Amino acid sequence: MRKPFALVLALAFAGTAFAGMAHAEPGLPDRAAVVAALDADPSVKAALARTDAARAEADGLAVGPHEVTVNAMISRRTVRGEGLDAGSYAEFEGQVTRPIRLPGKAGLDRRIGGYGVAYARNMAEDARHQAALGLAQGWWDWLDAAAQTTVDRQAVANQQRLLASVERRAALRDASRLDADQARAALGMAQTAAARSAGREAVALARLHARYPGFALPAVAPDVPPPATSEATLAALHTRILGRSHELAAAEAFAARADAQAQRARRDRIADPSVGFRVFSDKGGLEQGGGLVLSIPLGGRYRRAEADKAGAMASAAADDLASVRLTIEETADADLAEARGAQAAWATARAGLEAQMAALAKTRRGLELGAIDLADVLLAERQVHEAFRAEAAARADAQRALTRLRIDAHDLWINDEDDEAAPAQPRP
């Protein structure tokens, strides 16, 4: 008598640990390997480089763009005639000037720089967040495909045993050649399904290798564990998404920066004056002097237009912030609904699988007693096979949804307790 399909599959799914994953959660890759892959991700590295650029820009804004200007002129004057001033004279003129920021402008520049750094830091953290979501998606695509491959290969093994049994019975004239042909056809269909699922697994693995070349992957895909997350945990993760969103913090910093830039543009309608000192020597030193120099640009329509533009950009940034806040709330609600729905779907699929296995056991017993035809057994085998596939897919979908919820809540892979979203505060 053949081993029950359920028993063989249960043994296939029994283990959850594999080499190199001793410190990983069941079904998930090792956190150290994930962190290394995220650190090496080009999008994360680019975002970190932009953070360095924002710090340099903040340093420049704190100092200001104004620099000392030195002017010097050496000349020679020739006075012709018969008077006392006739002759040739060496002359010199020098001037040192520097623009000065009017009161209030330097403080706004420092605030603009600080908000710029806060924005860049949060965008870098959000880039890591997005990279983690992409890695999780690729990981569960691989494990889902691998689980389907396992189910399909087990179906091939079951159909091979069934064909062998039918052929033995046909040799003993206890079954017809038609029965053997039907069993052989069922085996061919199972082998086709196994080959297709193995191909999908290979594609998923190739995508992971290509997108994250430094990610250390196990030789064999780990088993997908059953989802077992309480409703209280799901609700807590949902709440954390709203309070730990770097995308939202970045939008807040960007809006605050745009508002400070608008204030700065309004103040810049009164241009910064330049002050300095001038010395001169004329007629070979017969005339010498020095004095203070003051110049003030007179602002006009251009500066007013720049202030209007900055004000409009600040309004747009405030509206963008409101849009991002709605998007984050939508993401949190959708993540929670998806996790709940996926877990409920898995529970339903599991219950359906158990019912199909019970029916298959009765069908097999009926075949042994001669009360049921082989066609009924083949149908029951296909139904159980599809039930196993549905359960495996639902299990992977539930874990995928939970992983996304945890990453969005900064509870997985980017979950340091002190890793709060950087507030939109300027540097002191």
Side-chain angles (χ1 to χ4, degrees), residues 231-242:
E231 175 61 29
T233 299
L234 294 178
L237 291 172
H238 169 268
T239 302
R240 291 187 69 183
I241 292 178
L242 302 177

Side-chain angles (χ1 to χ4, degrees), residues 224-366:
V224 180
T229 305
S230 67
E231 175 61 29
T233 299
L234 294 178
L237 291 172
H238 169 268
T239 302
R240 291 187 69 183
I241 292 178
L242 302 177
R244 297 175 69 88
S245 170
H246 284 290
E247 184 181 1
L248 179 59
E252 290 173 346
F254 188 85
R257 184 173 184 263
D259 183 67
Q261 288 173 325
Q263 297 180 49
R264 182 67 168 82
R266 288 194 294 269
R267 285 183 177 269
D268 216 28
R269 291 190 62 182
I270 302 177
D272 294 331
S274 296
V275 297
F277 182 73
R278 174 178 177 267
V279 295
F280 64 89
S281 175
D282 291 343
K283 292 186 178 182
L286 293 177
E287 296 179 9
Q288 296 181 347
L292 297 177
V293 178
L294 174 65
S295 64
I296 302 177
L298 299 179
R301 294 172 60 187
Y302 175 78
R303 290 179 182 271
R304 182 171 63 251
E306 287 294 302
D308 292 344
K309 182 183 76 172
M313 294 300 293
S315 297
D319 291 335
D320 286 340
L321 172 59
S323 177
V324 170
R325 186 173 286 113
L326 290 175
T327 299
I328 298 304
E329 292 175 356
E330 176 191 358
T331 298
D333 292 347
D335 283 356
L336 179 60
E338 185 178 9
R340 286 171 171 168
Q343 288 203 158
W346 171 78
T348 301
R350 184 64 189 177
L353 172 61
E354 291 173 353
Q356 289 288 355
M357 288 191 298
L360 176 61
K362 294 181 178 66
T363 304
R364 286 172 175 167
R365 182 59 179 166

Side-chain angles (χ1 to χ4, degrees), residues 12-384:
F13 286 121
T16 58
F18 53 89
M21 301 286 289
H23 301 291
E25 296 185 40
L28 290 174
D30 179 66
R31 186 178 189 277
V34 172
V35 171
L38 297 182
D39 288 341
D41 188 88
S43 63
V44 175
K45 294 170 71 175
L48 292 175
R50 294 188 186 97
T51 302
D52 293 338
R55 291 194 182 98
E57 181 183 20
D59 291 340
L61 287 170
V63 174
H66 301 326
E67 296 176 334
V68 174
T69 301
V70 178
N71 294 319
M73 182 179 66
I74 300 176
S75 61
R76 191 165 190 83
R77 180 189 299 184
T78 299
V79 180
R80 301 184 185 280
E82 298 179 356
L84 295 177
D85 292 340
S88 181
Y89 304 96
E91 296 185 340
F92 166 80
E93 181 178 333
Q95 180 175 303
V96 178
T97 58
R98 185 187 187 281
I100 298 177
R101 280 184 291 187
L102 293 175
K105 291 186 177 181
L108 283 171
D109 286 341
R110 287 191 292 271
R111 286 174 58 192
I112 291 170
Y115 287 132
V117 172
Y119 171 76
R121 285 176 51 206
N122 281 287
M123 289 302 294
E125 291 300 328
D126 189 61
R128 181 180 292 274
H129 176 195
Q130 296 302 321
L133 288 175
L135 190 151
Q137 180 70 26
W139 175 262
W140 287 116
D141 285 347
W142 179 40
L143 265 62
D144 185 9
Q148 297 295 327
T149 301
T150 300
V151 171
D152 289 345
R153 286 174 177 169
Q154 185 59 55
V156 170
N158 282 1
Q159 293 294 344
Q160 287 173 337
R161 283 192 292 270
L162 179 59
L163 175 59
S165 174
V166 171
E167 287 183 335
R168 284 195 301 271
R169 292 175 58 194
L172 298 174
R173 303 298 178 90
D174 191 31
S176 68
R177 297 309 305 174
L178 176 61
D179 289 341
D181 291 340
Q182 289 178 330
R184 190 173 293 105
L187 173 60
M189 293 177 60
Q191 290 172 330
T192 301
R196 294 180 62 186
S197 60
R200 287 192 292 267
E201 179 184 359
V203 170
L205 182 59
R207 289 183 182 277
L208 260 181
H209 278 304
R211 183 64 182 84
Y212 303 95
F215 185 35
L217 290 170
V220 178
D223 299 329
V224 180
T229 305
S230 67
E231 175 61 29
T233 299
L234 294 178
L237 291 172
H238 169 268
T239 302
R240 291 187 69 183
I241 292 178
L242 302 177
R244 297 175 69 88
S245 170
H246 284 290
E247 184 181 1
L248 179 59
E252 290 173 346
F254 188 85
R257 184 173 184 263
D259 183 67
Q261 288 173 325
Q263 297 180 49
R264 182 67 168 82
R266 288 194 294 269
R267 285 183 177 269
D268 216 28
R269 291 190 62 182
I270 302 177
D272 294 331
S274 296
V275 297
F277 182 73
R278 174 178 177 267
V279 295
F280 64 89
S281 175
D282 291 343
K283 292 186 178 182
L286 293 177
E287 296 179 9
Q288 296 181 347
L292 297 177
V293 178
L294 174 65
S295 64
I296 302 177
L298 299 179
R301 294 172 60 187
Y302 175 78
R303 290 179 182 271
R304 182 171 63 251
E306 287 294 302
D308 292 344
K309 182 183 76 172
M313 294 300 293
S315 297
D319 291 335
D320 286 340
L321 172 59
S323 177
V324 170
R325 186 173 286 113
L326 290 175
T327 299
I328 298 304
E329 292 175 356
E330 176 191 358
T331 298
D333 292 347
D335 283 356
L336 179 60
E338 185 178 9
R340 286 171 171 168
Q343 288 203 158
W346 171 78
T348 301
R350 184 64 189 177
L353 172 61
E354 291 173 353
Q356 289 288 355
M357 288 191 298
L360 176 61
K362 294 181 178 66
T363 304
R364 286 172 175 167
R365 182 59 179 166
L367 178 65
E368 292 174 356
L369 296 176
I372 293 179
D373 294 334
L374 177 62
D376 295 326
V377 177
L378 292 176
L379 175 61
E381 290 278 2
R382 286 197 299 272
Q383 290 175 335
V384 169

